[in-house]
Amino acid sequence: MGKKRNKKTLVWRPKPKSRTPPAEMRNWLDLPRDVTVSILSRLRAVEILEGAQMVCMAWRIICKDPLMWRTIDMANDADYDDMFYNLDAMCRHAVDRSCGGLVDVNIEHFGDDDLLKYITDSCGGIRRLRLVSCYSISRVGLGKVASKLTLLEELEIYVCNLSRTSLEMVGRSCPLLKSFKLNRPEFSVYGISGFGAYDGFDDWNDDENGDENGGPVIDSFGKDDEALAIAGTMNGLHHLQLFGNRLTNDGLSKILDCCPHLESLDLRHCFNLDLKVALGKRCAERIKQLRLPNDSIDDYEFRTAPCDYGFYNDSEDFDCDDDYPYDFNGYYSDDSDFYDDFTKIRFSDLF
């Protein structure tokens, strides 16, 4: 008889878990310069001055390149976190860095006549200007700098002080103007409430003696003042947005008569218009992209603007500049080469 073989006992063992490979370390400096420039150019001015340029010397050199500042985006949410920064000083610094090459500037929730004058004095080739809730930029200030915006092609004004005279000055001074967006405060998503319901707001627009330029101020009785200013001086417009405007059928008819190149027209929340008559048919037949007063505002940037912005309470003794935590001339000025080396960061830490 042969030898008796021992039976093998099968023991189940769980398959060992694969070890997670260590997170890949990459040096952001390995990116091609043009890719880095493309990434950094998408940042707002505050994000560049308070963050990106302090990552490393290579990024700081890129951020000081005048070509990086052909567009200056000073967008902010009017949040106190943003207001702790001296936005006026930052904007001037960004303008200086452009070395006169600025073509596109966006200012939101800050700025005054002096800042607007500084920008237009420093840069004569601005093609796009966007002003959002710049309450300290007066109708006079806008009118005075209009003559320096001869190359302007796009103008966007949201909830700012205006007069018929200032609009006419802009129209006459900017022969290349192709696109104009104007958001008036009285007609918001809540009808004629919003800023118009605020005690004292009418004082900003209504003045028995006219505006400082000697022209009539847009008031509750001059519903077509803005429309007539546009029709009289902006005949080259291709795109026009009059969100929440008070114009009537007469004003709209004048615009259609005098602006033969109009391709798109946004009349949302213009509740004084009656487009059920022949004027509505005329708009539909002529305008390629037409938005009517009751059309959806889901794609409108300021869906609840200006009602949600609120008002500054003068009883609160709050000075943004006094609370500014950093020394402007030392922290992000060109006289300082301060930066931290944040180039070696684990990709996993970014998400």
Side-chain angles (χ1 to χ4, degrees):
M1 295 179 62
K3 291 184 176 179
K4 189 176 181 180
R5 296 183 179 180
N6 295 329
K7 293 183 179 180
K8 293 182 178 179
T9 302
L10 297 179
V11 179
W12 179 84
R13 292 187 177 88
K15 185 178 180 180
K17 295 182 180 179
S18 59
R19 295 182 179 179
T20 304
E24 185 178 6
M25 295 285 291
R26 294 185 183 180
N27 192 330
W28 289 89
L29 295 179
D30 293 338
L31 289 173
R33 189 179 191 279
D34 59 335
V35 175
T36 303
V37 171
S38 178
I39 294 173
L40 296 180
S41 65
R42 301 168 195 271
L43 300 177
R44 299 181 301 169
V46 174
E47 294 167 336
I48 295 175
L49 295 174
E50 285 295 318
Q53 74 167 3
M54 292 181 286
V55 168
C56 62
M57 183 57 71
W59 282 22
R60 183 167 180 80
I61 292 174
I62 291 175
C63 291
K64 292 170 68 174
D65 187 339
L67 293 179
M68 278 285 295
W69 300 97
R70 286 174 59 81
T71 296
I72 295 178
D73 183 6
M74 296 298 298
N76 64 86
D77 298 325
D79 192 303
Y80 283 154
D81 290 339
D82 290 321
M83 295 299 106
F84 279 123
Y85 297 118
N86 189 331
L87 297 178
D88 186 284
M90 283 187 174
C91 187
R92 291 171 187 261
H93 185 62
V95 170
D96 292 341
R97 283 195 176 183
S98 74
C99 297
L102 177 64
V103 297
D104 184 342
V105 59
N106 173 37
I107 302 175
E108 299 186 13
H109 307 290
F110 78 100
D112 54 21
D113 291 348
D114 289 337
L115 176 62
L116 191 59
K117 183 178 185 299
Y118 185 83
I119 294 172
T120 54
D121 284 346
S122 303
C123 308
I126 297 176
R127 298 182 183 275
R128 178 176 179 266
L129 174 63
R130 186 173 190 261
L131 304 175
V132 178
S133 301
C134 300
Y135 309 120
S136 295
I137 294 180
S138 70
R139 44 188 176 256
V140 178
L142 181 61
K144 285 183 177 179
V145 303
S147 60
K148 303 170 187 176
L149 296 170
T150 55
L151 298 180
L152 192 68
E153 297 178 4
E154 299 180 39
L155 176 61
E156 301 181 23
I157 299 178
Y158 299 86
V159 198
C160 297
N161 299 318
L162 286 175
S163 69
R164 177 174 176 175
T165 301
S166 60
L167 278 181
E168 289 175 339
M169 293 178 71
V170 169
R172 294 192 185 101
S173 302
C174 307
L176 302 180
L177 193 64
K178 298 293 189 297
S179 176
F180 183 38
K181 295 182 179 182
L182 179 62
N183 179 330
R184 286 290 291 168
E186 282 81 4
F187 282 7
S188 66
V189 294
Y190 300 106
I192 57 173
S193 58
F195 278 113
Y198 175 71
D199 290 338
F201 178 82
D202 287 340
D203 294 338
W204 297 358
N205 291 323
D206 300 338
D207 187 342
E208 294 179 357
N209 299 319
D211 70 9
E212 294 86 337
N213 289 318
V217 177
I218 300 169
D219 57 32
S220 59
F221 299 99
K223 295 182 176 67
D224 287 320
D225 279 355
E226 292 167 320
L228 295 178
I230 293 169
T233 62
M234 303 181 186
N235 309 125
L237 286 179
H238 288 238
H239 310 283
L240 177 61
Q241 180 184 76
L242 295 174
F243 190 96
N245 200 274
R246 294 173 293 179
L247 83 164
T248 67
N249 283 26
D250 291 338
L252 179 56
S253 295
K254 193 67 174 178
I255 289 175
L256 294 176
D257 290 340
C258 300
C259 302
H261 307 293
L262 270 184
E263 300 174 11
S264 67
L265 179 60
D266 189 344
L267 299 171
R268 284 176 293 178
H269 281 220
C270 296
F271 297 123
N272 283 333
L273 293 174
D274 179 9
L275 298 182
K276 295 179 181 179
V277 294
L279 182 60
K281 182 179 179 181
R282 182 185 178 191
C283 290
E285 292 176 346
R286 178 179 158 188
I287 306 299
K288 295 179 180 178
Q289 298 178 352
L290 178 64
R291 307 298 293 272
L292 300 176
N294 290 310
D295 281 357
S296 171
I297 60 172
D298 287 345
D299 62 342
Y300 185 63
E301 181 177 2
F302 303 103
R303 278 193 284 277
T304 58
C307 298
D308 283 353
Y309 287 154
F311 292 90
Y312 172 71
N313 186 351
D314 291 332
S315 64
E316 298 177 9
D317 187 13
F318 181 83
D319 191 331
C320 301
D321 292 344
D322 290 343
D323 290 331
Y324 183 63
Y326 304 118
D327 178 6
F328 171 75
N329 291 321
Y331 192 62
Y332 53 77
S333 76
D334 289 338
D335 296 330
S336 170
D337 283 326
F338 170 81
Y339 67 92
D340 287 321
D341 186 4
F342 295 123
T343 57
K344 296 180 180 180
I345 301 176
R346 295 179 186 272
F347 281 4
S348 59
D349 293 340
L350 299 178
F351 305 99

